[in-house]
Amino acid sequence: MTMKTVFRKTNGLTDKPTHYCPGCTHGVIHRLVGEVLEEMDILEDTIGVASVGCSVLSYEYFNCDMTQAAHGRAPAVATGIKRVLPDRFVFTYQGDGDLASIGISEVIHAAARGEKITVIFVNNAIYGMTGGQMAPTTLIGQKTATTPYGRTESVQGLPIRVSEMIATLDGAAYIERVSSHDVPHIMKAKKAIRKAFETQKKGLGFSMIEVLSTCPTNWGLAPHESLDWVKDNMIPAYPLGVFKNKEGGN
Amino acid sequence: MGKVLMKGNEVIAEAAVHAGCKYFFGYPITPQSELVAYMARRLPEVGGLFLQAESEIAAINMVYGAAGTGVRVMTSSSSPGFSLKQEGISYLVGSELPAVICNIVRGGPGLGNIQPAQSDYFQVTKGGGHGDYNIPVLAPASLQEIVELTQDAFDIADRYRTPVILMGDGMLGQMMEPVEFREREKAIIDEKEWATTGTRGDGGPRIITSLELDAESLEQRNWKLQKKFATIKENEVRYETYQVDDADYIMVAYGTVARITMNSINQARQKGVKVGLIRPISLWPFPEKPFIETRDQVKAFISVEMSAGQMIEDVRLAVNGHAPVDFFGRTGGVVPTQEEIYDKIMTVAGGVNV
Ligand SMILES: Cc1ncc(C[n+]2csc(CCOP(=O)(O)OP(=O)(O)O)c2C)c(N)n1
Ligand code: SF4
């Protein structure tokens, strides 16, 4: 009987075991990026930029050259790399605290300049690494370490819908929000990530894929409950879809 | 190429281009804006790239990204902007990336003013950002010296994989003098095996990072950095002395103030006061040797600064109690006059003020 390989580890990731909590979808999203880089055969031409947050060690997981950036500055670091090496692929991998709070300026301006980089934006509506504090993406009513009574509009203001905001910029070429809460959505997320790297390859401008993700540890939920929480609470606040497609079509 | 008349800020820019710098990320701030504008015009001519960042924080992080690819890259600012760059500078040190950062100092603290000052001395020489570190700081006193020190800055940066600060004050940035650019051999700028340029089949992935979660490992990394700082201390000290051999009094000054002080010294010498000058060119590493050689022979050292007294601490350490250390300074962007410094010399020398 001949055996057929139906599933294997992607060469886009190293053999290093990740440190993510059980049920955290950071690992799934890593895998999607790794698979896309491998399938497009661009691993050897890619430089990734790790950010600050739970994915701070992602430079040990992606099987390509990597640089670690200061909190929020990844799009600026990526700009420096891409401007020197315009024929390489450059991506950042950032959480919502990193990108939407301290690094909001860097991502907006990278998008406005139409930097030909790809941003993988992992939105779990909370600060994971520092112990579950409020993020700009934290939902109204959501309890976190720094919103113990739940986020309220009058005190903390309203969440930022980053994809919608970035899509208004002319330099943005491809912006899509996807989710990682079940298999069909994960497949869709992979397609979106591929589309973003293809956008970069074509030199169309800035591309960003926002991936709704889980943080069972800081949400205080079991892994399967976390997946439901994404579906039931996050997707209504952060609708999925393509917000910008410079090429048109989909 | 013969002599050309140029403005200080532009000399820094042109010298950087001569040193092989092709990438510049900057943000405007007086009194260094001409440097940014010069690069915007000049770099495309040499196949390089100038980019105006959205902030000093972004600029230094673009430098960080570009430096990681192994090219010669530079940014420039003035005091308030330089403060913002400290985050990135600490990361450059931690990740051992070469880059040149220019600080054309103006009056502070806060928004201060746009007049020449030296009040960032502590910030540039004592770390400035977080963590245990020092970075080389070069302080030219003339536009011709800028030409030499700018290339030195890039060479030191590459040789030791460290950011290097080129420090001037607003006066140096704004003055005009004839300068000559000479081609010099450069330290290795290619073949940076550590650079992240895509693996391209030439070995496993390379990582640039300053993160080291384990305390013992980070300590090891820090000791390694300290060893490098010690080597820089051994090899990269630069200074100039003027009339110190028979001096009873030695002035200590750097940058443009050193030039003014030199005139005051000449004036005092005419009155028979034996006074000389030690001019630190590298502010870190601070030159200790000329102090050790003279400190038992002189009656006093006088630190002259455009600050409320910052370098004086390094002077005191170098003198180490062997002689009194006096101070004359103006701050807030006031440039000391030749007369004022002369008066100070005469007061300290106990002479009649004529
Ligand atoms: C300048 C700076 N401020 C604060 C921190 C602390 N910090 C580390 S991770 C983090 C939040 C990251 O949250 P997010 O980007 O949402 O990523 P997650 O951990 O949820 O994946 C913060 C505030 C830091 N490292 N640097
Ligand atoms: S803290 Fe949250 S985001 Fe971080 S690894 Fe754990 S589950 Fe994932």
Side-chain angles (χ1 to χ4, degrees):
Chain A
M1 195 179 92
T2 52
M3 295 227 268
K4 194 170 154 239
T5 305
V6 291
F7 189 82
R8 64 168 181 83
K9 185 195 140 280
T10 168
N11 188 38
L13 298 178
T14 63
D15 291 334
K16 183 126 186 152
T18 66
H19 67 287
Y20 300 114
C21 307
C24 176
T25 42
H26 260 309
V28 174
I29 301 162
H30 276 31
R31 189 183 158 95
L32 297 182
V33 174
E35 284 178 359
V36 166
L37 295 179
E38 184 184 27
E39 286 164 22
M40 287 178 72
D41 196 21
I42 56 173
L43 271 168
E44 295 200 333
D45 296 320
T46 298
I47 301 116
V49 184
S51 63
V52 164
C54 281
S55 55
V56 67
L57 286 172
S58 63
Y59 58 75
E60 295 195 336
Y61 308 144
F62 289 111
N63 193 18
C64 59
D65 274 4
M66 293 290 296
T67 294
Q68 207 284 315
H71 196 25
R73 318 295 175 221
V77 174
T79 297
I81 299 170
K82 185 75 183 191
R83 291 299 182 119
V84 176
L85 302 169
D87 62 337
R88 298 320 129 89
F89 291 84
V90 180
F91 76 94
T92 72
Y93 187 100
Q94 304 175 256
D96 48 82
D98 190 87
L99 179 141
S101 197
I102 186 169
I104 191 83
S105 162
E106 281 76 8
V107 74
I108 286 176
H109 286 278
R113 285 191 303 267
E115 293 297 340
K116 296 169 189 69
I117 60 172
T118 296
V119 171
I120 307 297
F121 169 39
V122 180
N123 180 358
N124 58 12
I126 203 161
Y127 284 20
M129 183 179 232
T130 40
Q133 299 85 2
M134 185 189 81
T137 46
T138 293
L139 304 181
I140 290 293
Q142 189 181 338
K143 286 189 178 161
T144 72
T146 50
T147 54
Y149 309 108
R151 181 176 186 166
T152 58
E153 180 184 343
S154 62
V155 181
Q156 292 90 9
L158 293 158
I160 302 178
R161 278 193 278 270
V162 176
S163 288
E164 285 85 336
M165 182 175 76
I166 297 286
T168 65
L169 299 168
D170 292 338
Y174 193 80
I175 310 290
E176 181 171 354
R177 184 184 290 121
V178 294
S179 176
S180 60
H181 73 280
D182 64 18
V183 173
H185 283 91
I186 289 170
M187 304 303 281
K188 251 189 135 165
K190 181 172 169 185
K191 264 179 80 179
I193 291 168
R194 177 155 187 146
K195 177 93 181 166
F197 278 100
E198 273 161 2
T199 300
Q200 183 175 164
K201 190 174 191 172
K202 289 179 193 150
L204 295 173
F206 179 87
S207 52
M208 182 181 83
I209 304 302
E210 174 176 348
V211 191
L212 301 184
S213 177
T214 61
C215 182
T217 303
N218 288 301
W219 292 352
L221 298 174
H224 68 281
E225 292 169 338
S226 296
L227 297 171
D228 287 342
W229 199 83
V230 171
K231 181 169 62 156
D232 299 337
N233 295 287
M234 285 188 75
I235 293 178
Y238 297 110
L240 307 182
V242 177
F243 296 95
K244 186 71 169 280
N245 184 358
K246 238 181 193 169
E247 274 187 309
N250 192 16
Chain B
M1 192 172 167
K3 287 204 168 185
V4 281
L5 187 67
M6 282 175 87
K7 203 171 192 175
N9 283 328
E10 300 186 337
V11 175
I12 299 170
E14 185 58 38
V17 172
H18 275 257
C21 168
K22 280 204 180 157
Y23 298 89
F24 186 99
F25 302 91
Y27 190 81
I29 182 169
T30 312
Q32 62 83 54
S33 291
E34 296 87 355
L35 206 172
V36 178
Y38 191 94
M39 282 303 206
R41 182 167 34 108
R42 187 76 174 96
L43 283 177
E45 290 176 1
V46 294
L49 172 107
F50 164 85
L51 189 62
Q52 179 167 326
E54 65 270 26
S55 70
E56 287 85 353
I57 298 174
I60 191 73
N61 282 284
M62 290 172 185
V63 166
Y64 179 94
T69 70
V71 295
R72 286 198 158 179
V73 56
M74 184 180 192
T75 185
S76 157
S77 195
S78 180
S79 309
F82 188 79
S83 292
L84 289 177
K85 289 191 198 288
Q86 293 293 354
E87 173 194 80
I89 294 173
S90 170
Y91 275 76
L92 285 165
V93 175
S95 304
E96 299 197 68
L97 293 180
V100 174
I101 302 128
C102 180
N103 184 5
I104 301 295
V105 183
R106 63 188 239 180
L111 199 46
N113 61 20
I114 59 168
Q115 307 305 323
Q118 295 181 324
S119 43
D120 295 357
Y121 183 90
F122 283 151
Q123 199 185 22
V124 297
T125 61
K126 312 288 179 203
H130 59 286
D132 280 318
Y133 74 83
N134 283 107
I135 61 180
V137 184
L138 302 178
S142 71
L143 301 206
Q144 188 59 49
E145 196 177 26
I146 286 177
V147 174
E148 309 304 329
L149 290 186
T150 303
Q151 181 168 335
D152 285 355
F154 280 100
D155 285 348
I156 293 170
D158 276 343
R159 200 171 296 129
Y160 301 96
R161 286 181 63 181
T162 177
V164 176
I165 293 170
L166 200 60
M167 172 151 154
D169 57 64
M171 195 150 89
L172 195 71
Q174 296 297 323
M175 69 167 65
M176 289 185 84
E177 279 179 342
V179 291
E180 190 177 357
F181 294 93
R182 289 176 290 260
E183 292 305 328
R184 272 169 48 188
E185 205 176 311
K186 299 169 183 67
I188 300 159
I189 42 178
D190 305 319
E191 291 156 41
K192 292 175 178 167
E193 280 152 22
W194 46 266
T196 48
T197 53
T199 60
R200 308 218 138 182
D202 57 359
R206 284 154 300 205
I207 295 169
I208 289 170
T209 180
S210 55
L211 182 68
E212 200 75 74
L213 286 170
D214 176 65
E216 302 272 341
S217 310
L218 183 55
E219 188 183 40
Q220 284 314 309
R221 206 187 247 245
N222 266 296
W223 288 133
K224 193 182 142 226
L225 285 177
Q226 292 297 327
K227 229 168 127 183
K228 168 160 88 178
F229 303 153
T231 312
I232 295 174
K233 249 178 146 169
E234 238 164 68
N235 299 341
E236 304 299 340
V237 174
R238 287 163 171 74
Y239 64 91
E240 193 182 72
T241 58
Y242 177 65
Q243 304 212 8
V244 294
D245 289 347
D246 65 340
D248 289 327
Y249 304 93
I250 291 183
M251 317 296 288
V252 190
Y254 68 95
T256 41
V257 188
R259 292 171 66 167
I260 305 171
T261 304
M262 206 128 42
N263 292 337
S264 314
I265 288 170
N266 292 340
Q267 203 180 341
R269 284 241 167 212
Q270 278 170 13
K271 295 284 172 194
V273 179
K274 288 183 191 158
V275 55
L277 173 76
I278 294 173
R279 177 170 74 91
I281 296 171
S282 57
L283 302 182
W284 192 89
F286 190 77
E288 286 164 4
K289 194 162 155 255
F291 292 92
I292 293 166
E293 285 169 355
T294 56
R295 66 194 184 186
D296 290 316
Q297 136 218 332
V298 303
K299 296 194 175 108
F301 291 88
I302 307 170
S303 186
V304 185
E305 307 175 39
M306 286 200 285
S307 73
Q310 299 190 11
M311 181 178 68
I312 187 172
E313 295 192 3
D314 285 331
V315 174
R316 282 213 184 97
L317 282 173
V319 173
N320 202 16
H322 288 247
V325 178
D326 211 317
F327 172 72
F328 182 77
R330 298 297 303 266
T331 180
V334 179
V335 180
T337 64
Q338 179 184 326
E339 253 342 281
E340 281 173 340
I341 300 170
Y342 168 78
D343 288 349
K344 177 72 189 179
I345 296 170
M346 298 316 261
T347 309
V348 173
V352 201
N353 201 343
V354 260

